Amino acid sequence: MRYFLEFAYKGTNYHGWQYQPNATSVQETLTKAITTILKTEIDLVGAGRTDSGVHAKQMFAHFDYELEIDVHYLTHKLNSFLAKDIAILDFHKVHDDAHARFDAKKRTYEYHIHTKKDVFESDNSWYYQHDLNVDKMNEACKILFNYIDFECFSKVHTDVNTFNCTIFEANWKQVNDRLVFTISADRFLRNMVRAIVGTMITIGLEKISLQDFIQIIESKDRNKAGFSVPAHGLYLTKVEYPFLRI
């Protein structure tokens, strides 16, 4: 039987989701925990990979197990077993061919910035104190909907067949000292959200224009786009599947 594991994690102490040969990953930590408790070797396949330091408010991984799972028991047991920076949210029994990565139809990320120094946010949000033109940054968001090829925001030398992504939502919202960028798409390239945010920061600083932003996208050249913002402000907030109603 195939199950989807729904979970969340604070990425500060992990080198991303995916297995790393000489570093601690979320995938390795979760796999060891479930294998220990179920007393059988478990192989977890994630919905995607997050970089070192990136957080997830909702993430999924699938695995196969021959017996019926007691969801409440296993959730409680794992949450007691795991460190405080990983939380098991639920288990979902799915059809045998369901795939956590390939069946995801929509993913949503948020990037958090705080503009006033806050000692409690140092691991959870990027402190950036310069004044930004948020209206201009939202104008740049509208430009994203006109394109599907985002090679200019992709990490170079990645093993992808296409740089095409369909963006469903992109906007900036500011409430007092908190600035949050939200973006949803069918898929994301490596480092894509952090590169988009960094480029929009330069727009907010009025160092480049909206026309420059268009030219950057059309160039398909990562060197022409802006800097990559720090990982600790980035959150994977939602992954959606056609067969799951959560």
Side-chain angles (χ1 to χ4, degrees):
M1 290 179 280
R2 180 155 291 185
Y3 293 91
F4 268 34
L5 168 62
E6 183 184 356
F7 58 101
Y9 56 87
K10 181 180 179 182
T12 306
N13 297 321
Y14 299 95
H15 287 258
W17 157 256
Q18 198 167 19
Y19 280 111
Q20 301 289 332
N22 300 305
T24 303
S25 69
V26 178
Q27 186 178 27
E28 177 189 15
T29 303
L30 270 176
T31 299
K32 285 181 178 178
I34 298 176
T35 294
T36 299
I37 291 174
L38 293 181
K39 298 178 181 178
T40 187
E41 197 68 34
I42 293 297
D43 182 26
L44 280 180
V45 178
R49 53 187 178 189
T50 55
D51 290 337
S52 178
V54 174
H55 317 293
K57 293 183 178 181
Q58 184 190 56
M59 176 65 152
F60 288 90
H62 77 250
F63 66 96
D64 296 325
Y65 184 61
E66 61 184 9
L67 302 176
E68 192 81 30
I69 282 178
D70 183 333
V71 172
H72 297 294
Y73 168 80
L74 189 56
T75 299
H76 173 74
K77 195 76 174 175
L78 279 169
N79 278 330
S80 300
F81 186 87
L82 289 162
K84 61 184 179 181
D85 51 12
I86 300 179
I88 305 302
L89 304 178
D90 208 347
F91 288 89
H92 307 274
K93 189 176 178 180
V94 295
H95 59 85
D96 292 344
D97 295 326
H99 198 286
R101 178 183 174 190
F102 298 130
D103 288 342
K105 299 301 181 185
K106 184 179 180 182
R107 297 167 169 86
T108 302
Y109 280 90
E110 289 179 359
Y111 194 84
H112 289 242
I113 296 172
H114 58 288
T115 57
K116 182 179 179 181
K117 189 173 182 180
D118 187 335
V119 296
F120 300 107
E121 292 288 353
S122 58
D123 290 335
N124 309 315
S125 176
W126 180 40
Y127 173 46
Y128 191 77
Q129 59 184 320
H130 300 287
D131 291 334
L132 296 170
N133 187 331
V134 179
D135 289 336
K136 276 276 180 65
M137 292 158 71
N138 270 317
E139 287 298 313
C141 287
K142 296 175 185 176
I143 292 171
L144 292 174
F145 298 118
N146 298 328
Y147 296 89
I148 59 171
D149 187 326
F150 294 103
E151 185 175 357
C152 69
F153 298 126
S154 173
K155 196 169 187 177
V156 296
H157 308 304
T158 58
D159 55 349
V160 296
N161 296 320
T162 175
F163 294 97
N164 290 357
C165 309
T166 301
I167 293 180
F168 305 119
E169 176 188 7
N171 63 76
W172 288 90
K173 291 183 180 176
Q174 184 163 20
V175 179
N176 299 323
D177 301 318
R178 171 74 61 172
L179 186 59
V180 179
F181 175 63
T182 302
I183 185 167
S184 299
D186 59 343
R187 64 189 288 264
F188 287 92
L189 307 169
R190 288 197 67 187
N191 207 55
M192 177 174 166
V193 180
R194 291 165 61 192
I196 289 175
V197 173
T199 307
M200 287 192 176
I201 291 292
T202 61
I203 292 172
L205 292 170
E206 300 185 349
K207 290 184 176 181
I208 65 172
S209 67
L210 296 176
Q211 186 58 41
D212 292 331
F213 188 60
I214 291 171
Q215 291 174 356
I216 288 168
I217 296 173
E218 294 181 352
S219 75
K220 303 181 183 180
D221 184 349
R222 178 64 186 92
N223 291 322
K224 287 184 165 51
F227 66 102
S228 180
V229 290
H232 65 271
L234 184 60
Y235 295 77
L236 174 62
T237 60
K238 195 171 186 180
V239 186
E240 298 179 46
Y241 300 90
F243 47 80
L244 283 185
R245 297 290 179 262
I246 300 172

